[in-house]
Amino acid sequence: MKLNTVIKGDALKELKKLPNASVQAVIADPPYFNVLEDEAWDTQWKTPEAYLAWCKRWVAECLRVLKDDGLCFIFGQLGKREHTFIHLMSQLCLQHAYHDLIIWDRAVGYNERRDSFTPQYEMILVLRKGEKVKFNKKSVRIPYDAETISAYLRDTRYKNMEARKAHLEEGKFATNILRIPSLKGLNKEKCGHPSQKPLALISKLISCSTDAGDVVLDPFLGSGTTAVAAEKEGRPWIGIECDATYAKIARQRLKTSRITLS
């Protein structure tokens, strides 16, 4: 099993080579099907049914290689009138165990529309394999500002103020709506992929679902965000990417990141 190396190849073929129950978390950001209409990889399926059948095959492989207490995160997005991801979520939840649905609030809208609300979110379907999962809730706490902490500490209803202060200083627990700005304009993270996800978002998913040393799998590595996030969090990773250009970008990005980390 190749760790910490970008694997150039087809996701489904490469997934079949991995051992059962060998990874702790899967971060999958696949083609969305006719959402990014200018990208050949997003429009390669002739029908929604063909896309759904393909997705069910690679998701089944991801669940096979997932450990019993692992989580599988699957990104999805709706187009202006394209809603195949809704059907995909429904079908996957009939075949596998549903765990959660995370809303990624991109903070800014995209694709302005005249006849409906401007979209501002993407979805992350979370599937589990077993009844119990590894979830580090404290790792994704959101800090309170000093003014908020001071205001809460003036509430006399709390008897043990030291314990209350310690809790407040750790921050509040994150909800399943994650507000993290998308990569816009001249953002220094951008490196040439049209659907690149923010490092902060992927880091949250990795840190909440794994411990140091746990293996993270990304079957659609793209520009390498999952790999960079995993290394920063101290997790080994497996990354599969079929496009030679994106695989090259991912390798260069990792090289730069490793220099920074050292």
Side-chain angles (χ1 to χ4, degrees), residues 128-147:
R128 69 176 189 270
K129 189 171 183 178
E131 287 302 313
K132 294 183 178 180
V133 299
K134 179 181 289 189
F135 190 78
N136 304 318
K137 195 170 184 177
K138 289 186 177 181
S139 71
V140 285
R141 283 188 179 231
I142 302 171
Y144 290 105
D145 57 52
E147 184 177 347

Side-chain angles (χ1 to χ4, degrees), residues 24 63 66-73 97-100 126-137 208-211 214:
Q24 186 62 46
L63 270 290
L66 190 68
K67 291 187 176 181
D68 288 345
D69 61 347
L71 291 174
C72 178
F73 300 88
Y98 168 83
H99 185 72
D100 203 351
V126 190
L127 301 176
R128 69 176 189 270
K129 189 171 183 178
E131 287 302 313
K132 294 183 178 180
V133 299
K134 179 181 289 189
F135 190 78
N136 304 318
K137 195 170 184 177
C208 76
S209 60
T210 63
D211 294 324
D214 286 337

Side-chain angles (χ1 to χ4, degrees), residues 56 59-60 63 91-98 127-128:
K56 286 189 281 188
V59 170
L63 270 290
Q91 292 186 26
L92 290 179
C93 290
L94 290 173
Q95 293 183 321
H96 308 286
Y98 168 83
L127 301 176
R128 69 176 189 270

Side-chain angles (χ1 to χ4, degrees), residues 2-240:
K2 294 181 180 179
L3 295 179
N4 305 331
T5 302
V6 178
I7 301 171
K8 166 66 175 65
D10 176 78
L12 194 53
K13 290 180 180 178
E14 297 299 328
L15 283 168
K16 291 179 181 294
K17 299 176 184 178
L18 300 179
N20 293 345
S22 55
V23 306
Q24 186 62 46
V26 177
I27 311 291
D29 186 14
Y32 288 166
F33 182 70
N34 291 353
V35 174
L36 297 176
E37 296 179 342
D38 295 330
E39 302 295 336
W41 45 262
D42 206 49
T43 58
Q44 60 185 292
W45 294 273
K46 292 183 179 180
T47 64
E49 290 75 20
Y51 174 76
L52 291 170
W54 172 74
C55 283
K56 286 189 281 188
R57 288 196 296 271
W58 66 256
V59 170
E61 286 298 316
C62 286
L63 270 290
R64 177 185 64 79
V65 303
L66 190 68
K67 291 187 176 181
D68 288 345
D69 61 347
L71 291 174
C72 178
F73 300 88
I74 304 170
F75 279 80
Q77 183 180 349
L78 308 180
K80 184 173 183 179
R81 295 291 179 263
E82 176 49 55
H83 58 281
T84 300
F85 189 67
I86 294 175
H87 299 290
L88 178 60
M89 288 193 292
S90 175
Q91 292 186 26
L92 290 179
C93 290
L94 290 173
Q95 293 183 321
H96 308 286
Y98 168 83
H99 185 72
D100 203 351
L101 179 63
I102 299 171
I103 299 300
W104 170 35
D105 179 352
R106 298 161 50 110
V108 293
Y110 61 98
N111 295 339
E112 186 67 36
R113 301 174 185 173
R114 294 184 178 182
D115 61 350
S116 62
F117 293 103
T118 298
Q120 187 175 296
Y121 72 94
E122 295 186 31
M123 293 170 280
I124 309 170
L125 175 65
V126 190
L127 301 176
R128 69 176 189 270
K129 189 171 183 178
E131 287 302 313
K132 294 183 178 180
V133 299
K134 179 181 289 189
F135 190 78
N136 304 318
K137 195 170 184 177
K138 289 186 177 181
S139 71
V140 285
R141 283 188 179 231
I142 302 171
Y144 290 105
D145 57 52
E147 184 177 347
T148 300
I149 292 176
S150 178
Y152 275 125
L153 289 177
R154 290 196 294 271
D155 189 334
T156 57
R157 290 177 297 173
Y158 298 102
K159 305 302 181 183
N160 188 336
M161 296 307 290
E162 286 300 316
R164 180 61 176 166
K165 182 180 179 182
H167 173 78
L168 290 169
E169 289 177 344
E170 284 188 305
K172 63 181 177 180
F173 291 117
T175 71
N176 58 1
I177 300 178
L178 301 178
R179 185 177 176 83
I180 297 173
S182 57
L183 305 180
K184 294 290 186 181
L186 299 176
N187 190 293
K188 64 181 181 180
E189 276 189 44
K190 291 178 68 174
C191 56
H193 197 291
S195 62
Q196 181 184 341
K197 299 302 184 287
L199 192 61
L201 175 63
I202 302 302
S203 292
K204 282 185 180 294
L205 302 184
I206 291 173
S207 63
C208 76
S209 60
T210 63
D211 294 324
D214 286 337
V215 178
V216 178
L217 166 66
D218 188 334
F220 308 97
L221 188 61
S223 59
T225 301
T226 296
V228 173
E231 292 196 354
K232 288 186 174 181
E233 298 293 336
R235 276 67 161 167
W237 53 272
I238 300 169
I240 304 169

